[in-house]
Amino acid sequence: MNLLPLIVVVPLITAVVFSYIYRSKYVKPLTLFIGFILLVLPLLGTYGPYFFGGHGIVYIGTIPLVSGIVYTLNPLKETMIFTLMLIGSIVLVLSTRERELSGVFTSLVLMGLASVSAVILTEDLFNLYVFYEIAAITQAGLVILSGTEEAYRSAFRYLLVGTMAGSILLLGVGLLLSATGSLNIGDMGRCLTVNPLTPTVYGGLLMLIVGLAYGGGLPPFHTLKADLYARAKPFVAAILQAYSKFILIALMLVVLKLFGNLPIFHTTRGVLIALSVFAMVFGTVMALLQEDYRKLLAYHTVSQGGYVALGLALGTPLAILAGIFHGINHTLYKSALFIGAHILDKIKSTDMRKVGGLLLVTPTLAFLILCAKLASIGIPPFNGFQSKLLLAEAVMNANMPELAVLMLILSIGTFLYMMKAFYLIFLRPCSEEQLREFKDVKISKYYILSLGLLLVLCLFLGIYPDIVIDRLYPVVEDIGVKWVLESIKNS
Amino acid sequence: MKLSVSREVAVSLSFLLFGAGVFYSIYSIEVVEGVNAIYTHIKIVPNFVSAVLFDWRGFDTLGECLILINSVLVTGIVFGKGLFNWDFLKEVYGEEKCKDSDLGFTPIVKVLAVPMGVLLMALGILVILGGHITPGGGFQGGALISAAYVLAMVAFGVRRCPIRFTYKFLESLESFGALLFLILGLLGMVLSGYYLYNIREIWGIPPFPSPPGVGDVGIIPYLNIGVGLKVLAGLSTITVLLLSQRIISKNIGKG
Amino acid sequence: MDLQLASFITAGALVVLGLYGFFFVDNVIKKIIALSIIGNGVNLTLVAMGYKEGGYAPIYIPSVEFQVFAREMAYPLPQALVLTNIVIGASMLAVMLALSIVFYRKYKTLKTSVILKED
């Protein structure tokens, strides 16, 4: 029996249970338990399609149409879900160290994990929309949990725009439904290649891109996302960025599957590349200006989201591979950085002007965070280097060397602000009594262990990237846009 | 100042372009039948919308149940449920006591609210149970019942409301409804291998007794009941929260 | 006039109107109302997609032959999607209203320029 739906259903059931028993004293042990269960979930499914309710393919005349909702699992989706569940598990385990933990937090994290895995797995546009909305509400709730006025405000802004973007996304789904008569992505893509394009299809594409930009944090919605990451508690921001990165990848893949083989993809590609380049540049420039470590990380997340989107927007198999690989790598090292920021928050504050000289207090932490920073800048032997190299190679292959130059310049910018943050937090001299004050704070072993685990993974992927790349490549080759390759060969 | 003007211009321009695009693409819709042909030509239960909601695309309905649960949870969080830090809410609400919001309606409203509420509840139960045969279903029926509750609350105030659902009861009802849906789906998976499979019969006995000629009713009525309970509890909980902000007072007293 | 086309035009007008309200009105509650107008426009688009001139509602009538009924019936899929979307809209609305209650208590105003000011 194929146990694929359990990836979504088990977190949902536990989320409902946790929201009911949120004040019970068993919440902490149960959260710890669920955290380990999550790691088993991605292994449950078998590859191939899964038909909900047993409604398979029905023929109308000679045209095969999928009658119900389909999930598919392939190595690509499995890797993405495994990364997501790993981050979720780490965040849940860390949350048991919080004094005010209640079942509400666990419930929201599980709900988000379930909905994002559903967005990744689904082959049905309306189902995608439903779970996309669940993810939007969940992210707002997770930010509100930190309880400051800024958190309330950024969540409110996020929800206001989110409702608009969600409605627009649904309108796009409706338009595409009317033009193709199906909600299954494969069927829709096939129908679009056969029939002539109408204004309805163009409208649907435009609206899908609006939904994608909102869900993934691309311009013009990037400031909302950056605000969201900066206002949440840092270890919550670790899971928030994982959510939006995977939603971005999933929606980009949907756009590629639907429109990749159509002539309008040429324009779409230009628009998407422009959006992602803007996100890259904007994120880097804004991060250079920040005094607060959390905000710096938030804008860094936006700029790295741009890298991921750039890879996927280029449309060649190599570029898609690079984009997805960078997304996975980025999720890993950025979670490590956010957990580091959380420890910093525990010690004193994330404001870089108020801390300093922490190298003497916690040398282990300093070493681990330095490693994470090196990974994020893209220095060997960490995974960030491998994926950025792959992305640069893909950009060169796609005949856009100017983008590679831009990426190099932005990497220098990233190096600058990351090292500035490292200097201000760990190296800057500070007074004796301040150091004594910092030393009084106990740092839980859990934080160091989880940081260590994430960095070992980063190092491992940096040395043996083929483990992931070989799994992803066959899937990505199918999605890759054929004519882009041909036009490059011809020129 | 200059920045805000240029931003206004940019917003106006993008609004105009986007609005024109939206309008034009909606205007030029031409509907392709496609998968609708399957949904119209295969009869599962007499109410075809119910068949789409609970049989063909049951998983969407599940997602939609969970969004309501999620929304109730997040509304609770806004009013202080399980926050990591209550400083902002303490600052906003301060010493203020949770007061009863009796809007001072005249006896006419108060006298009429009770029988209307009873009627609405009866109608709601009818709509939920007959959801697979007649127009209606879990959502509509649940919304009707919660409308009765909201009507009574608005007329009498939260404390003296004649329909006494406690907050804990509503919470249990909501969790029960959602779990019923999720577990019925799992049951289908155990019996047939497909999640949310519409079980026609278990050992020759149909799960829901219905007269002949109605079709493969299967577990649709139970799913309807689960959704109905969840919608009724969810909408009522949201209204209670918005009217009385009850969680806040509790937490501020504690913290 | 064709009822379906009229519905589409109305739906488009609702969406554009809602977008206008969302972008340019300086009041949180009015913004939220504008959002639900957009949602209603989308719902109307979906329902109108399932409309058939002189068709039946998608509840089976035993007195009509099934093949005829199936051909003449309005499409049930868009109606089911709308039912789902209504609940989603209500959920989003509830959270936004709760947030605006809290902010109104804090600032005693509903102006967006005050409540959602950039910082």
Side-chain angles (χ1 to χ4, degrees):
Chain A
M1 190 159 58
N2 192 349
L3 295 176
L4 179 60
L6 290 188
I7 296 176
V8 179
V9 170
V10 168
L12 286 180
I13 291 180
T14 43
V16 174
V17 171
F18 270 107
S19 80
Y20 184 62
I21 57 159
Y22 71 100
R23 244 192 278 243
S24 150
K25 59 177 184 289
Y26 300 114
V27 163
K28 274 188 190 179
L30 280 177
T31 305
L32 212 56
F33 178 65
I34 288 298
F36 291 112
I37 291 283
L38 283 181
L39 290 177
V40 185
L41 288 179
L43 311 174
L44 289 180
T46 45
Y47 294 151
Y50 183 89
F51 299 99
F52 276 89
H55 293 299
I57 295 164
V58 177
Y59 284 85
I60 303 176
T62 54
I63 310 162
L65 279 176
V66 176
S67 59
I69 295 171
V70 187
Y71 277 15
T72 52
L73 189 68
N74 50 32
L76 163 67
K77 293 183 175 182
E78 198 180 42
T79 317
M80 274 155 68
I81 287 177
F82 184 75
T83 318
L84 181 69
M85 291 295 180
L86 179 73
I87 306 289
S89 169
I90 285 173
V91 168
L92 282 184
V93 170
L94 289 187
S95 75
T96 56
R97 309 312 299 169
E98 291 294 307
R99 206 157 44 83
E100 294 94 350
L101 175 75
S102 66
V104 175
F105 174 77
T106 317
S107 171
L108 275 182
V109 170
L110 287 169
M111 200 81 92
L113 287 174
S115 55
V116 176
S117 359
V119 168
I120 293 172
L121 284 173
T122 191
E123 289 289 316
D124 187 278
L125 262 189
F126 190 73
N127 197 252
L128 188 148
Y129 162 74
V130 171
F131 283 98
Y132 169 96
E133 289 283 14
I134 297 185
I137 289 197
T138 305
Q139 295 185 36
L142 281 173
V143 176
I144 295 174
L145 270 179
S146 67
T148 59
E149 189 189 344
E150 288 83 20
Y152 270 67
R153 184 176 293 132
S154 60
F156 196 8
R157 219 181 278 150
Y158 185 74
L159 267 182
L160 275 174
V161 179
T163 316
M164 194 267 291
S167 298
I168 297 294
L169 176 65
L170 178 65
L171 187 56
V173 173
L175 292 178
L176 290 175
L177 167 67
S178 79
T180 60
S182 173
L183 281 170
N184 184 275
I185 292 168
D187 287 348
M188 289 168 103
R190 228 167 296 134
C191 183
L192 285 175
T193 42
V194 177
N195 295 330
L197 295 178
T198 57
T200 317
V201 176
Y202 292 111
L205 172 61
L206 175 68
M207 287 162 205
L208 272 192
I209 289 176
V210 171
L212 177 151
Y214 172 77
L218 291 182
F221 303 111
H222 52 291
T223 46
L224 291 171
K225 279 278 184 191
D227 220 26
L228 213 62
Y229 303 138
R231 304 304 183 198
K233 274 189 166 280
F235 81 102
V236 180
I239 190 79
L240 288 180
Q241 58 93 12
Y243 290 161
S244 44
K245 203 98 315 125
F246 286 117
I247 288 181
L248 173 67
I249 295 177
L251 280 169
M252 283 298 260
L253 287 179
V254 168
V255 170
L256 281 172
K257 279 181 204 159
L258 280 178
F259 300 99
N261 294 316
L262 301 183
I264 40 167
F265 187 69
H266 198 73
T267 327
T268 316
R269 187 172 170 236
V271 171
L272 287 174
I273 289 175
L275 285 182
S276 39
V277 166
F278 187 70
M280 281 156 67
V281 175
F282 177 86
T284 310
V285 171
M286 286 304 282
L288 279 169
L289 302 174
Q290 299 306 320
E291 297 281 352
D292 188 85
Y293 188 47
R294 279 201 274 179
K295 280 194 176 172
L296 187 147
L297 289 183
Y299 282 110
H300 179 238
T301 314
V302 168
S303 82
Q304 301 296 306
Y307 279 77
V308 177
L310 175 66
L312 285 155
L314 281 173
T316 59
L318 187 64
I320 297 175
L321 176 70
I324 295 172
F325 188 42
H326 190 64
I328 289 168
N329 289 338
H330 173 246
T331 315
L332 290 174
Y333 62 68
K334 185 42 79 64
S335 306
L337 283 173
F338 270 122
I339 291 167
H342 189 65
I343 302 173
L344 201 63
D345 198 24
K346 290 246 158 181
I347 290 174
K348 170 84 180 173
S349 149
T350 53
D351 193 335
M352 290 189 285
R353 285 163 298 186
K354 288 185 186 155
V355 287
L358 283 179
L359 184 64
L360 298 172
V361 184
T362 57
T364 343
L365 178 68
F367 174 70
L368 291 174
I369 288 190
L370 182 65
C371 290
K373 280 184 191 303
L374 293 182
S376 73
I377 300 160
I379 287 177
F382 292 101
N383 53 0
F385 167 71
Q386 295 289 355
S387 51
K388 280 193 182 175
L389 184 70
L390 206 62
L391 192 58
E393 205 181 312
V395 168
M396 293 303 280
N397 278 348
N399 277 345
M400 292 187 181
E402 57 275 15
L403 283 180
V405 175
L406 185 73
M407 275 170 58
L408 210 63
I409 295 171
L410 291 180
S411 278
I412 296 169
T414 314
F415 183 82
L416 261 178
Y417 62 73
M418 281 297 177
M419 283 303 130
K420 181 187 105 184
F422 188 76
Y423 169 75
L424 287 177
I425 295 166
F426 289 103
L427 301 178
R428 193 176 55 172
C430 77
S431 63
E432 279 291 315
E433 69 233 60
Q434 243 187 334
L435 276 182
R436 227 169 292 129
E437 186 195 330
F438 293 152
K439 263 185 187 151
D440 287 342
V441 182
K442 272 260 176 291
I443 303 169
S444 166
K445 287 270 188 310
Y446 280 69
Y447 292 112
I448 304 290
L449 275 180
S450 54
L451 262 179
L453 175 67
L454 285 171
L455 285 169
V456 166
L457 267 176
C458 285
L459 195 60
F460 185 71
L461 284 180
I463 298 171
Y464 304 106
D466 294 344
I467 291 176
V468 174
I469 290 176
D470 289 346
R471 282 170 71 75
L472 302 192
Y473 198 73
V475 185
V476 163
E477 213 170 12
D478 288 343
I479 303 167
V481 183
K482 303 286 180 310
W483 61 263
V484 175
L485 275 183
E486 277 156 23
S487 67
I488 290 163
K489 254 179 227 157
N490 294 339
S491 61
Chain B
M1 191 62 212
K2 205 166 188 180
L3 189 78
S4 76
V5 169
S6 62
R7 178 180 288 181
E8 286 282 304
V9 171
V11 169
S12 313
L13 269 180
S14 52
F15 163 71
L16 277 180
L17 286 175
F18 191 72
V22 168
F23 195 84
Y24 184 57
S25 48
I26 294 181
Y27 178 77
S28 56
I29 286 181
E30 274 172 32
V31 182
V32 176
E33 189 176 30
V35 78
N36 278 304
I38 301 172
Y39 296 152
T40 48
H41 280 86
I42 299 176
K43 181 178 161 230
I44 294 174
V45 286
N47 184 345
F48 281 78
V49 180
S50 262
V52 174
L53 272 175
F54 292 105
D55 194 345
W56 294 106
R57 306 180 62 84
F59 202 63
D60 278 350
T61 312
L62 174 64
E64 182 228 319
C65 286
L66 285 155
I67 203 168
L68 197 53
I69 285 227
N70 208 350
S71 142
V72 172
L73 194 65
V74 176
T75 314
I77 290 171
V78 171
F79 290 129
K81 184 176 178 178
L83 285 185
F84 285 127
N85 174 350
W86 282 305
D87 292 346
F88 175 57
L89 281 187
K90 268 182 205 161
E91 184 197 333
V92 172
Y93 280 82
E95 305 292 286
E96 204 169 327
K97 284 274 179 312
C98 174
K99 45 174 204 273
D100 193 7
S101 48
D102 187 344
L103 301 173
F105 281 114
T106 55
I108 299 176
V109 176
K110 291 191 180 183
V111 168
L112 278 178
V114 178
M116 284 300 284
V118 173
L119 272 179
L120 276 174
M121 284 199 169
L123 180 62
I125 293 170
L126 182 72
V127 166
I128 292 179
L129 291 180
H132 54 296
I133 310 172
T134 52
F139 305 112
Q140 298 89 327
L144 275 172
I145 298 179
S146 79
Y149 182 49
V150 172
L151 182 65
M153 257 195 306
V154 170
F156 289 90
V158 180
R159 293 280 160 77
R160 272 171 293 152
C161 177
I163 304 171
R164 294 220 167 85
F165 292 157
T166 62
Y167 185 75
K168 196 73 199 162
F169 171 71
L170 287 177
E171 258 185 352
S172 330
L173 209 59
E174 191 184 18
S175 304
F176 174 73
L179 283 178
L180 182 67
F181 203 121
L182 282 160
I183 286 169
L184 276 172
L186 277 182
L187 194 68
M189 199 163 153
V190 171
L191 289 178
S192 75
Y194 294 109
Y195 193 74
L196 277 173
Y197 182 75
N198 189 7
I199 306 155
R200 274 18 180 239
E201 50 175 32
I202 308 171
W203 302 297
I205 308 159
F208 189 81
S210 58
V214 171
D216 301 325
V217 174
I219 55 168
I220 292 179
Y222 295 111
L223 295 179
N224 256 327
I225 291 169
V227 172
L229 290 179
K230 206 202 55 57
V231 170
L232 112 81
L235 293 181
S236 309
T237 317
I238 288 174
T239 320
V240 171
L241 283 174
L242 291 182
L243 266 176
S244 66
Q245 297 132 30
R246 68 171 262 146
I247 294 181
I248 285 176
S249 52
K250 210 180 261 175
N251 283 339
I252 288 178
K254 210 169 67 177
Chain C
M1 192 176 174
D2 185 1
L3 198 54
Q4 192 173 29
L5 188 63
S7 307
F8 282 143
I9 292 173
T10 317
L14 280 177
V15 173
V16 174
L17 205 66
L19 282 174
Y20 172 80
F22 179 72
F23 283 131
F24 297 106
V25 177
D26 186 24
N27 182 312
V28 177
I29 296 292
K30 286 184 186 167
K31 265 194 204 290
I32 294 174
I33 292 172
L35 286 174
S36 46
I37 290 177
I38 299 180
N40 289 341
V42 176
N43 289 345
L44 183 57
T45 318
L46 284 171
V47 169
M49 268 160 43
Y51 175 77
K52 266 188 191 170
E53 190 86 49
Y56 296 106
I59 310 286
Y60 182 58
I61 310 164
S63 58
V64 184
E65 195 195 332
F66 182 70
Q67 286 304 320
V68 179
F69 179 76
R71 209 170 46 241
E72 296 288 313
M73 181 175 70
Y75 298 142
L77 174 65
Q79 302 194 10
L81 301 188
V82 165
L83 216 51
T84 308
N85 189 38
I86 287 172
V87 178
I88 292 176
S91 323
M92 298 294 253
L93 206 64
V95 180
M96 287 189 292
L97 285 177
L99 279 166
S100 49
I101 287 177
V102 171
F103 277 108
Y104 181 73
R105 289 238 171 175
K106 164 92 182 171
Y107 291 105
K108 305 282 179 244
T109 175
L110 286 171
K111 276 187 186 308
T112 354
S113 47
V114 177
I115 292 180
L116 301 179
K117 62 179 184 293
E118 307 274 329
D119 39 14

